[in-house]
């Protein structure tokens, strides 16, 4: 079992920045991916960004490309999401997740492949 704990959410005005962090309770497989998902009010949970543990391959949703950056620190068992140029439509609960058997590619943002989830941290962007 792996626990994931997120931090760093909050309220910010449009155009601002936030950095989310997620700490894993233990080492996971080198074949794993770590991802950030979000769920806005009345919306389904969607993949935002993901990174492979071994080579650091990344994948982003089109809506955040060029604004968000995902990074992992394997020594610290953490994965961060730097969010810049935030928009009101980025308002959501952001959740960290781990997929322990992952391959690099477009499917890295497929939520059904993730088997461990955090509780989430709220991000609110005001106009």
């Amino acid at each position: 079992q792996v626990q994931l704990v997120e931090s760093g959410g909050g309220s910010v005005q449009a155009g601002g920045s936030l950095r989310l962090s997620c700490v894993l309770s233990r080492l996971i497989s080198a074949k794993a991916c770590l991802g950030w998902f979000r769920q806005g009010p009345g919306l389904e949970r969607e993949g935002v960004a993901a990174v492979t543990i071994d080579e650091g391959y990344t994948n982003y949703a089109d809506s955040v490309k060029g604004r968000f950056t995902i990074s992992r620190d394997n020594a610290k068992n953490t994965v961060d999401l730097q969010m810049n140029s935030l928009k009101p439509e980025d308002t959501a609960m952001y959740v960290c997740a781990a997929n322990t058997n992952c391959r690099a590619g477009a499917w890295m943002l497929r939520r059904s492949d993730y088997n461990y989830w955090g509780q989430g941290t709220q991000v609110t962007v005001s106009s």
Side-chain angles (χ1 to χ4, degrees):
Q1 194 74 4
V2 179
Q3 283 76 47
L4 299 92
V5 179
E6 303 94 336
S7 62
S11 298
V12 65
Q13 289 191 327
S17 298
L18 283 173
R19 188 176 184 88
L20 307 182
S21 293
C22 175
V23 179
L24 283 72
S25 59
R26 64 170 178 83
L27 291 172
I28 56 174
S29 168
K31 297 187 297 182
C33 291
L34 299 176
W36 284 96
F37 292 74
R38 68 184 181 186
Q39 187 165 12
L43 301 175
E44 291 190 355
R45 185 170 291 185
E46 62 173 352
V48 174
V51 60
T52 60
I53 289 291
D54 51 2
E55 296 182 352
Y57 179 92
T58 59
N59 203 325
Y60 295 92
D62 288 343
S63 58
V64 306
K65 282 180 181 176
R67 299 189 298 123
F68 290 11
T69 303
I70 189 170
S71 59
R72 89 270 188 256
D73 186 328
N74 293 341
K76 297 180 179 179
N77 292 337
T78 60
V79 56
D80 291 353
L81 185 68
Q82 177 66 42
M83 305 185 296
N84 298 329
S85 302
L86 283 161
K87 304 175 181 180
E89 51 263 43
D90 294 319
T91 295
M93 179 69 74
Y94 283 72
V95 184
C96 175
N99 171 1
T100 54
N101 189 14
C102 178
R103 292 179 297 124
W107 42 82
M108 289 167 62
L109 297 180
R110 193 164 58 194
R111 64 183 183 184
S112 60
D113 290 344
Y114 284 74
N115 44 347
Y116 294 105
W117 294 85
Q119 295 297 309
T121 184
Q122 179 67 35
V123 171
T124 303
V125 184
S126 58
S127 57

PDB file of all heavy atoms in Angstrom, residues 84-118:
ATOM      1  N   ASN A  84       1.739  27.936 -13.447  1.00  0.00           N
ATOM      2  CA  ASN A  84       1.896  29.355 -13.751  1.00  0.00           C
ATOM      3  C   ASN A  84       0.754  29.837 -14.633  1.00  0.00           C
ATOM      4  O   ASN A  84       0.040  29.032 -15.244  1.00  0.00           O
ATOM      5  CB  ASN A  84       3.227  29.583 -14.455  1.00  0.00           C
ATOM      6  CG  ASN A  84       4.425  29.206 -13.607  1.00  0.00           C
ATOM      7  OD1 ASN A  84       4.397  29.306 -12.380  1.00  0.00           O
ATOM      8  ND2 ASN A  84       5.487  28.760 -14.255  1.00  0.00           N
ATOM      9  N   SER A  85       0.613  31.142 -14.707  1.00  0.00           N
ATOM     10  CA  SER A  85      -0.420  31.752 -15.557  1.00  0.00           C
ATOM     11  C   SER A  85      -1.777  31.100 -15.314  1.00  0.00           C
ATOM     12  O   SER A  85      -2.486  30.729 -16.258  1.00  0.00           O
ATOM     13  CB  SER A  85      -0.030  31.632 -17.033  1.00  0.00           C
ATOM     14  OG  SER A  85       1.217  32.238 -17.275  1.00  0.00           O
ATOM     15  N   LEU A  86      -2.130  30.984 -14.067  1.00  0.00           N
ATOM     16  CA  LEU A  86      -3.366  30.286 -13.716  1.00  0.00           C
ATOM     17  C   LEU A  86      -4.586  31.036 -14.221  1.00  0.00           C
ATOM     18  O   LEU A  86      -4.614  32.278 -14.275  1.00  0.00           O
ATOM     19  CB  LEU A  86      -3.449  30.090 -12.214  1.00  0.00           C
ATOM     20  CG  LEU A  86      -2.568  28.953 -11.690  1.00  0.00           C
ATOM     21  CD1 LEU A  86      -2.331  29.100 -10.196  1.00  0.00           C
ATOM     22  CD2 LEU A  86      -3.208  27.608 -12.002  1.00  0.00           C
ATOM     23  N   LYS A  87      -5.604  30.258 -14.585  1.00  0.00           N
ATOM     24  CA  LYS A  87      -6.856  30.789 -15.111  1.00  0.00           C
ATOM     25  C   LYS A  87      -8.008  30.346 -14.206  1.00  0.00           C
ATOM     26  O   LYS A  87      -7.898  29.312 -13.532  1.00  0.00           O
ATOM     27  CB  LYS A  87      -7.096  30.255 -16.522  1.00  0.00           C
ATOM     28  CG  LYS A  87      -5.977  30.525 -17.501  1.00  0.00           C
ATOM     29  CD  LYS A  87      -6.253  29.854 -18.839  1.00  0.00           C
ATOM     30  CE  LYS A  87      -5.126  30.082 -19.825  1.00  0.00           C
ATOM     31  NZ  LYS A  87      -5.384  29.430 -21.139  1.00  0.00           N
ATOM     32  N   PRO A  88      -9.111  31.062 -14.222  1.00  0.00           N
ATOM     33  CA  PRO A  88     -10.265  30.625 -13.406  1.00  0.00           C
ATOM     34  C   PRO A  88     -10.695  29.192 -13.721  1.00  0.00           C
ATOM     35  O   PRO A  88     -11.128  28.471 -12.814  1.00  0.00           O
ATOM     36  CB  PRO A  88     -11.345  31.646 -13.782  1.00  0.00           C
ATOM     37  CG  PRO A  88     -10.578  32.881 -14.119  1.00  0.00           C
ATOM     38  CD  PRO A  88      -9.340  32.391 -14.817  1.00  0.00           C
ATOM     39  N   GLU A  89     -10.559  28.773 -14.956  1.00  0.00           N
ATOM     40  CA  GLU A  89     -10.952  27.413 -15.313  1.00  0.00           C
ATOM     41  C   GLU A  89     -10.010  26.344 -14.764  1.00  0.00           C
ATOM     42  O   GLU A  89     -10.291  25.149 -14.884  1.00  0.00           O
ATOM     43  CB  GLU A  89     -11.081  27.261 -16.842  1.00  0.00           C
ATOM     44  CG  GLU A  89      -9.890  27.738 -17.618  1.00  0.00           C
ATOM     45  CD  GLU A  89     -10.055  29.158 -18.145  1.00  0.00           C
ATOM     46  OE1 GLU A  89     -10.555  30.026 -17.388  1.00  0.00           O
ATOM     47  OE2 GLU A  89      -9.693  29.389 -19.322  1.00  0.00           O
ATOM     48  N   ASP A  90      -8.908  26.751 -14.150  1.00  0.00           N
ATOM     49  CA  ASP A  90      -8.029  25.798 -13.469  1.00  0.00           C
ATOM     50  C   ASP A  90      -8.524  25.469 -12.062  1.00  0.00           C
ATOM     51  O   ASP A  90      -7.968  24.593 -11.401  1.00  0.00           O
ATOM     52  CB  ASP A  90      -6.601  26.353 -13.376  1.00  0.00           C
ATOM     53  CG  ASP A  90      -5.930  26.513 -14.727  1.00  0.00           C
ATOM     54  OD1 ASP A  90      -6.092  25.605 -15.577  1.00  0.00           O
ATOM     55  OD2 ASP A  90      -5.249  27.537 -14.927  1.00  0.00           O
ATOM     56  N   THR A  91      -9.557  26.171 -11.620  1.00  0.00           N
ATOM     57  CA  THR A  91     -10.119  25.907 -10.302  1.00  0.00           C
ATOM     58  C   THR A  91     -10.616  24.478 -10.202  1.00  0.00           C
ATOM     59  O   THR A  91     -11.411  24.020 -11.035  1.00  0.00           O
ATOM     60  CB  THR A  91     -11.275  26.875 -10.017  1.00  0.00           C
ATOM     61  OG1 THR A  91     -10.748  28.206  -9.937  1.00  0.00           O
ATOM     62  CG2 THR A  91     -11.990  26.523  -8.723  1.00  0.00           C
ATOM     63  N   ALA A  92     -10.103  23.749  -9.210  1.00  0.00           N
ATOM     64  CA  ALA A  92     -10.449  22.335  -9.068  1.00  0.00           C
ATOM     65  C   ALA A  92      -9.795  21.768  -7.823  1.00  0.00           C
ATOM     66  O   ALA A  92      -8.923  22.401  -7.219  1.00  0.00           O
ATOM     67  CB  ALA A  92      -9.976  21.538 -10.291  1.00  0.00           C
ATOM     68  N   MET A  93     -10.223  20.550  -7.479  1.00  0.00           N
ATOM     69  CA  MET A  93      -9.493  19.756  -6.502  1.00  0.00           C
ATOM     70  C   MET A  93      -8.403  19.012  -7.260  1.00  0.00           C
ATOM     71  O   MET A  93      -8.704  18.281  -8.217  1.00  0.00           O
ATOM     72  CB  MET A  93     -10.432  18.770  -5.815  1.00  0.00           C
ATOM     73  CG  MET A  93      -9.743  17.879  -4.793  1.00  0.00           C
ATOM     74  SD  MET A  93      -9.214  18.792  -3.332  1.00  0.00           S
ATOM     75  CE  MET A  93     -10.806  19.063  -2.525  1.00  0.00           C
ATOM     76  N   TYR A  94      -7.167  19.192  -6.857  1.00  0.00           N
ATOM     77  CA  TYR A  94      -6.047  18.546  -7.526  1.00  0.00           C
ATOM     78  C   TYR A  94      -5.608  17.340  -6.696  1.00  0.00           C
ATOM     79  O   TYR A  94      -5.374  17.459  -5.484  1.00  0.00           O
ATOM     80  CB  TYR A  94      -4.900  19.531  -7.699  1.00  0.00           C
ATOM     81  CG  TYR A  94      -5.142  20.499  -8.831  1.00  0.00           C
ATOM     82  CD1 TYR A  94      -6.085  21.517  -8.719  1.00  0.00           C
ATOM     83  CD2 TYR A  94      -4.459  20.380 -10.034  1.00  0.00           C
ATOM     84  CE1 TYR A  94      -6.335  22.389  -9.775  1.00  0.00           C
ATOM     85  CE2 TYR A  94      -4.688  21.254 -11.090  1.00  0.00           C
ATOM     86  CZ  TYR A  94      -5.633  22.249 -10.949  1.00  0.00           C
ATOM     87  OH  TYR A  94      -5.885  23.108 -12.002  1.00  0.00           O
ATOM     88  N   VAL A  95      -5.475  16.225  -7.364  1.00  0.00           N
ATOM     89  CA  VAL A  95      -5.198  14.958  -6.694  1.00  0.00           C
ATOM     90  C   VAL A  95      -3.964  14.324  -7.304  1.00  0.00           C
ATOM     91  O   VAL A  95      -3.828  14.268  -8.535  1.00  0.00           O
ATOM     92  CB  VAL A  95      -6.393  13.996  -6.813  1.00  0.00           C
ATOM     93  CG1 VAL A  95      -6.132  12.718  -6.028  1.00  0.00           C
ATOM     94  CG2 VAL A  95      -7.670  14.662  -6.333  1.00  0.00           C
ATOM     95  N   CYS A  96      -3.100  13.837  -6.440  1.00  0.00           N
ATOM     96  CA  CYS A  96      -1.897  13.138  -6.851  1.00  0.00           C
ATOM     97  C   CYS A  96      -2.197  11.641  -6.930  1.00  0.00           C
ATOM     98  O   CYS A  96      -2.977  11.115  -6.121  1.00  0.00           O
ATOM     99  CB  CYS A  96      -0.805  13.416  -5.820  1.00  0.00           C
ATOM    100  SG  CYS A  96       0.731  12.552  -6.042  1.00  0.00           S
ATOM    101  N   ALA A  97      -1.587  10.953  -7.893  1.00  0.00           N
ATOM    102  CA  ALA A  97      -1.859   9.530  -8.049  1.00  0.00           C
ATOM    103  C   ALA A  97      -0.626   8.787  -8.543  1.00  0.00           C
ATOM    104  O   ALA A  97       0.272   9.393  -9.141  1.00  0.00           O
ATOM    105  CB  ALA A  97      -3.013   9.321  -9.027  1.00  0.00           C
ATOM    106  N   ALA A  98      -0.617   7.483  -8.294  1.00  0.00           N
ATOM    107  CA  ALA A  98       0.488   6.636  -8.739  1.00  0.00           C
ATOM    108  C   ALA A  98      -0.044   5.454  -9.535  1.00  0.00           C
ATOM    109  O   ALA A  98      -1.039   4.825  -9.148  1.00  0.00           O
ATOM    110  CB  ALA A  98       1.286   6.137  -7.535  1.00  0.00           C
ATOM    111  N   ASN A  99       0.629   5.195 -10.627  1.00  0.00           N
ATOM    112  CA  ASN A  99       0.346   4.030 -11.464  1.00  0.00           C
ATOM    113  C   ASN A  99       1.586   3.164 -11.416  1.00  0.00           C
ATOM    114  O   ASN A  99       2.630   3.553 -11.943  1.00  0.00           O
ATOM    115  CB  ASN A  99       0.047   4.502 -12.891  1.00  0.00           C
ATOM    116  CG  ASN A  99      -0.052   3.363 -13.887  1.00  0.00           C
ATOM    117  OD1 ASN A  99       0.077   2.194 -13.541  1.00  0.00           O
ATOM    118  ND2 ASN A  99      -0.290   3.705 -15.142  1.00  0.00           N
ATOM    119  N   THR A 100       1.495   2.010 -10.759  1.00  0.00           N
ATOM    120  CA  THR A 100       2.692   1.225 -10.494  1.00  0.00           C
ATOM    121  C   THR A 100       3.158   0.363 -11.664  1.00  0.00           C
ATOM    122  O   THR A 100       4.196  -0.282 -11.582  1.00  0.00           O
ATOM    123  CB  THR A 100       2.474   0.327  -9.268  1.00  0.00           C
ATOM    124  OG1 THR A 100       1.290  -0.448  -9.463  1.00  0.00           O
ATOM    125  CG2 THR A 100       2.340   1.157  -8.012  1.00  0.00           C
ATOM    126  N   ASN A 101       2.408   0.374 -12.757  1.00  0.00           N
ATOM    127  CA  ASN A 101       2.833  -0.384 -13.935  1.00  0.00           C
ATOM    128  C   ASN A 101       2.521   0.453 -15.165  1.00  0.00           C
ATOM    129  O   ASN A 101       1.478   0.286 -15.794  1.00  0.00           O
ATOM    130  CB  ASN A 101       2.120  -1.733 -13.991  1.00  0.00           C
ATOM    131  CG  ASN A 101       2.693  -2.621 -15.082  1.00  0.00           C
ATOM    132  OD1 ASN A 101       3.757  -2.353 -15.629  1.00  0.00           O
ATOM    133  ND2 ASN A 101       1.985  -3.680 -15.428  1.00  0.00           N
ATOM    134  N   CYS A 102       3.431   1.324 -15.485  1.00  0.00           N
ATOM    135  CA  CYS A 102       3.150   2.379 -16.459  1.00  0.00           C
ATOM    136  C   CYS A 102       4.153   2.344 -17.601  1.00  0.00           C
ATOM    137  O   CYS A 102       5.313   1.984 -17.411  1.00  0.00           O
ATOM    138  CB  CYS A 102       3.208   3.722 -15.735  1.00  0.00           C
ATOM    139  SG  CYS A 102       2.946   5.159 -16.760  1.00  0.00           S
ATOM    140  N   ARG A 103       3.698   2.734 -18.771  1.00  0.00           N
ATOM    141  CA  ARG A 103       4.585   2.916 -19.910  1.00  0.00           C
ATOM    142  C   ARG A 103       4.464   4.342 -20.405  1.00  0.00           C
ATOM    143  O   ARG A 103       3.373   4.918 -20.390  1.00  0.00           O
ATOM    144  CB  ARG A 103       4.223   1.948 -21.035  1.00  0.00           C
ATOM    145  CG  ARG A 103       4.492   0.485 -20.734  1.00  0.00           C
ATOM    146  CD  ARG A 103       4.087  -0.401 -21.899  1.00  0.00           C
ATOM    147  NE  ARG A 103       2.653  -0.345 -22.167  1.00  0.00           N
ATOM    148  CZ  ARG A 103       2.124  -0.013 -23.341  1.00  0.00           C
ATOM    149  NH1 ARG A 103       2.912   0.313 -24.347  1.00  0.00           N
ATOM    150  NH2 ARG A 103       0.826  -0.007 -23.507  1.00  0.00           N
ATOM    151  N   ALA A 104       5.552   4.914 -20.846  1.00  0.00           N
ATOM    152  CA  ALA A 104       5.543   6.279 -21.350  1.00  0.00           C
ATOM    153  C   ALA A 104       4.661   6.373 -22.581  1.00  0.00           C
ATOM    154  O   ALA A 104       4.686   5.493 -23.442  1.00  0.00           O
ATOM    155  CB  ALA A 104       6.957   6.722 -21.681  1.00  0.00           C
ATOM    156  N   GLY A 105       3.887   7.438 -22.671  1.00  0.00           N
ATOM    157  CA  GLY A 105       3.048   7.639 -23.835  1.00  0.00           C
ATOM    158  C   GLY A 105       1.813   8.447 -23.489  1.00  0.00           C
ATOM    159  O   GLY A 105       1.646   8.902 -22.363  1.00  0.00           O
ATOM    160  N   ALA A 106       0.967   8.635 -24.482  1.00  0.00           N
ATOM    161  CA  ALA A 106      -0.219   9.474 -24.321  1.00  0.00           C
ATOM    162  C   ALA A 106      -1.168   8.926 -23.262  1.00  0.00           C
ATOM    163  O   ALA A 106      -1.931   9.682 -22.661  1.00  0.00           O
ATOM    164  CB  ALA A 106      -0.943   9.594 -25.658  1.00  0.00           C
ATOM    165  N   TRP A 107      -1.137   7.619 -23.021  1.00  0.00           N
ATOM    166  CA  TRP A 107      -2.057   7.002 -22.075  1.00  0.00           C
ATOM    167  C   TRP A 107      -1.674   7.258 -20.628  1.00  0.00           C
ATOM    168  O   TRP A 107      -2.356   6.809 -19.720  1.00  0.00           O
ATOM    169  CB  TRP A 107      -2.095   5.487 -22.312  1.00  0.00           C
ATOM    170  CG  TRP A 107      -0.736   4.923 -22.571  1.00  0.00           C
ATOM    171  CD1 TRP A 107       0.216   4.577 -21.665  1.00  0.00           C
ATOM    172  CD2 TRP A 107      -0.164   4.687 -23.863  1.00  0.00           C
ATOM    173  NE1 TRP A 107       1.337   4.142 -22.302  1.00  0.00           N
ATOM    174  CE2 TRP A 107       1.138   4.189 -23.637  1.00  0.00           C
ATOM    175  CE3 TRP A 107      -0.615   4.862 -25.169  1.00  0.00           C
ATOM    176  CZ2 TRP A 107       1.983   3.849 -24.695  1.00  0.00           C
ATOM    177  CZ3 TRP A 107       0.229   4.520 -26.215  1.00  0.00           C
ATOM    178  CH2 TRP A 107       1.520   4.023 -25.967  1.00  0.00           C
ATOM    179  N   MET A 108      -0.599   7.999 -20.382  1.00  0.00           N
ATOM    180  CA  MET A 108      -0.173   8.273 -19.013  1.00  0.00           C
ATOM    181  C   MET A 108      -1.198   9.088 -18.245  1.00  0.00           C
ATOM    182  O   MET A 108      -1.156   9.133 -17.030  1.00  0.00           O
ATOM    183  CB  MET A 108       1.167   9.008 -19.016  1.00  0.00           C
ATOM    184  CG  MET A 108       2.333   8.138 -19.432  1.00  0.00           C
ATOM    185  SD  MET A 108       3.799   9.106 -19.789  1.00  0.00           S
ATOM    186  CE  MET A 108       4.111   9.865 -18.198  1.00  0.00           C
ATOM    187  N   LEU A 109      -2.112   9.748 -18.942  1.00  0.00           N
ATOM    188  CA  LEU A 109      -3.113  10.563 -18.266  1.00  0.00           C
ATOM    189  C   LEU A 109      -4.447   9.828 -18.114  1.00  0.00           C
ATOM    190  O   LEU A 109      -5.447  10.441 -17.761  1.00  0.00           O
ATOM    191  CB  LEU A 109      -3.323  11.868 -19.028  1.00  0.00           C
ATOM    192  CG  LEU A 109      -2.092  12.779 -19.106  1.00  0.00           C
ATOM    193  CD1 LEU A 109      -2.431  14.047 -19.885  1.00  0.00           C
ATOM    194  CD2 LEU A 109      -1.599  13.126 -17.716  1.00  0.00           C
ATOM    195  N   ARG A 110      -4.440   8.548 -18.378  1.00  0.00           N
ATOM    196  CA  ARG A 110      -5.671   7.760 -18.270  1.00  0.00           C
ATOM    197  C   ARG A 110      -5.897   7.383 -16.816  1.00  0.00           C
ATOM    198  O   ARG A 110      -5.166   6.581 -16.237  1.00  0.00           O
ATOM    199  CB  ARG A 110      -5.540   6.514 -19.159  1.00  0.00           C
ATOM    200  CG  ARG A 110      -6.829   5.770 -19.384  1.00  0.00           C
ATOM    201  CD  ARG A 110      -6.680   4.817 -20.559  1.00  0.00           C
ATOM    202  NE  ARG A 110      -5.598   3.868 -20.358  1.00  0.00           N
ATOM    203  CZ  ARG A 110      -5.096   3.115 -21.345  1.00  0.00           C
ATOM    204  NH1 ARG A 110      -5.556   3.234 -22.572  1.00  0.00           N
ATOM    205  NH2 ARG A 110      -4.124   2.256 -21.092  1.00  0.00           N
ATOM    206  N   ARG A 111      -6.929   7.934 -16.217  1.00  0.00           N
ATOM    207  CA  ARG A 111      -7.111   7.795 -14.771  1.00  0.00           C
ATOM    208  C   ARG A 111      -7.367   6.355 -14.352  1.00  0.00           C
ATOM    209  O   ARG A 111      -7.023   5.963 -13.237  1.00  0.00           O
ATOM    210  CB  ARG A 111      -8.255   8.690 -14.290  1.00  0.00           C
ATOM    211  CG  ARG A 111      -9.602   8.316 -14.847  1.00  0.00           C
ATOM    212  CD  ARG A 111     -10.677   9.283 -14.405  1.00  0.00           C
ATOM    213  NE  ARG A 111     -11.994   8.864 -14.890  1.00  0.00           N
ATOM    214  CZ  ARG A 111     -13.094   9.549 -14.728  1.00  0.00           C
ATOM    215  NH1 ARG A 111     -13.063  10.687 -14.075  1.00  0.00           N
ATOM    216  NH2 ARG A 111     -14.239   9.106 -15.189  1.00  0.00           N
ATOM    217  N   SER A 112      -7.965   5.553 -15.212  1.00  0.00           N
ATOM    218  CA  SER A 112      -8.278   4.168 -14.856  1.00  0.00           C
ATOM    219  C   SER A 112      -7.028   3.320 -14.628  1.00  0.00           C
ATOM    220  O   SER A 112      -7.096   2.248 -14.035  1.00  0.00           O
ATOM    221  CB  SER A 112      -9.152   3.524 -15.929  1.00  0.00           C
ATOM    222  OG  SER A 112      -8.488   3.529 -17.184  1.00  0.00           O
ATOM    223  N   ASP A 113      -5.883   3.796 -15.094  1.00  0.00           N
ATOM    224  CA  ASP A 113      -4.642   3.036 -14.932  1.00  0.00           C
ATOM    225  C   ASP A 113      -3.972   3.295 -13.581  1.00  0.00           C
ATOM    226  O   ASP A 113      -3.021   2.613 -13.226  1.00  0.00           O
ATOM    227  CB  ASP A 113      -3.649   3.400 -16.042  1.00  0.00           C
ATOM    228  CG  ASP A 113      -4.088   2.886 -17.405  1.00  0.00           C
ATOM    229  OD1 ASP A 113      -4.985   2.005 -17.447  1.00  0.00           O
ATOM    230  OD2 ASP A 113      -3.551   3.362 -18.416  1.00  0.00           O
ATOM    231  N   TYR A 114      -4.462   4.290 -12.850  1.00  0.00           N
ATOM    232  CA  TYR A 114      -3.824   4.668 -11.593  1.00  0.00           C
ATOM    233  C   TYR A 114      -4.452   3.905 -10.433  1.00  0.00           C
ATOM    234  O   TYR A 114      -5.676   3.847 -10.314  1.00  0.00           O
ATOM    235  CB  TYR A 114      -3.908   6.182 -11.388  1.00  0.00           C
ATOM    236  CG  TYR A 114      -2.924   6.906 -12.268  1.00  0.00           C
ATOM    237  CD1 TYR A 114      -3.145   7.036 -13.634  1.00  0.00           C
ATOM    238  CD2 TYR A 114      -1.749   7.423 -11.742  1.00  0.00           C
ATOM    239  CE1 TYR A 114      -2.222   7.666 -14.451  1.00  0.00           C
ATOM    240  CE2 TYR A 114      -0.823   8.073 -12.543  1.00  0.00           C
ATOM    241  CZ  TYR A 114      -1.061   8.177 -13.896  1.00  0.00           C
ATOM    242  OH  TYR A 114      -0.139   8.806 -14.701  1.00  0.00           O
ATOM    243  N   ASN A 115      -3.600   3.324  -9.596  1.00  0.00           N
ATOM    244  CA  ASN A 115      -4.116   2.467  -8.538  1.00  0.00           C
ATOM    245  C   ASN A 115      -3.921   3.015  -7.128  1.00  0.00           C
ATOM    246  O   ASN A 115      -4.401   2.413  -6.160  1.00  0.00           O
ATOM    247  CB  ASN A 115      -3.525   1.055  -8.646  1.00  0.00           C
ATOM    248  CG  ASN A 115      -2.023   1.041  -8.910  1.00  0.00           C
ATOM    249  OD1 ASN A 115      -1.417   2.037  -9.248  1.00  0.00           O
ATOM    250  ND2 ASN A 115      -1.438  -0.129  -8.756  1.00  0.00           N
ATOM    251  N   TYR A 116      -3.228   4.125  -6.975  1.00  0.00           N
ATOM    252  CA  TYR A 116      -3.127   4.771  -5.669  1.00  0.00           C
ATOM    253  C   TYR A 116      -3.437   6.260  -5.826  1.00  0.00           C
ATOM    254  O   TYR A 116      -2.934   6.909  -6.760  1.00  0.00           O
ATOM    255  CB  TYR A 116      -1.723   4.603  -5.074  1.00  0.00           C
ATOM    256  CG  TYR A 116      -1.393   3.178  -4.741  1.00  0.00           C
ATOM    257  CD1 TYR A 116      -0.523   2.435  -5.540  1.00  0.00           C
ATOM    258  CD2 TYR A 116      -1.951   2.558  -3.626  1.00  0.00           C
ATOM    259  CE1 TYR A 116      -0.221   1.128  -5.236  1.00  0.00           C
ATOM    260  CE2 TYR A 116      -1.658   1.239  -3.318  1.00  0.00           C
ATOM    261  CZ  TYR A 116      -0.791   0.535  -4.122  1.00  0.00           C
ATOM    262  OH  TYR A 116      -0.495  -0.770  -3.831  1.00  0.00           O
ATOM    263  N   TRP A 117      -4.225   6.781  -4.889  1.00  0.00           N
ATOM    264  CA  TRP A 117      -4.692   8.167  -4.981  1.00  0.00           C
ATOM    265  C   TRP A 117      -4.545   8.875  -3.644  1.00  0.00           C
ATOM    266  O   TRP A 117      -4.714   8.265  -2.581  1.00  0.00           O
ATOM    267  CB  TRP A 117      -6.169   8.200  -5.390  1.00  0.00           C
ATOM    268  CG  TRP A 117      -6.418   7.682  -6.763  1.00  0.00           C
ATOM    269  CD1 TRP A 117      -6.602   6.374  -7.132  1.00  0.00           C
ATOM    270  CD2 TRP A 117      -6.499   8.441  -7.966  1.00  0.00           C
ATOM    271  NE1 TRP A 117      -6.786   6.286  -8.487  1.00  0.00           N
ATOM    272  CE2 TRP A 117      -6.737   7.543  -9.023  1.00  0.00           C
ATOM    273  CE3 TRP A 117      -6.410   9.801  -8.263  1.00  0.00           C
ATOM    274  CZ2 TRP A 117      -6.881   7.954 -10.349  1.00  0.00           C
ATOM    275  CZ3 TRP A 117      -6.555  10.215  -9.573  1.00  0.00           C
ATOM    276  CH2 TRP A 117      -6.784   9.298 -10.598  1.00  0.00           C
ATOM    277  N   GLY A 118      -4.237  10.173  -3.718  1.00  0.00           N
ATOM    278  CA  GLY A 118      -4.260  11.004  -2.542  1.00  0.00           C
ATOM    279  C   GLY A 118      -5.651  11.548  -2.282  1.00  0.00           C
ATOM    280  O   GLY A 118      -6.604  11.227  -3.007  1.00  0.00           O
TER     281      GLY A 118
END
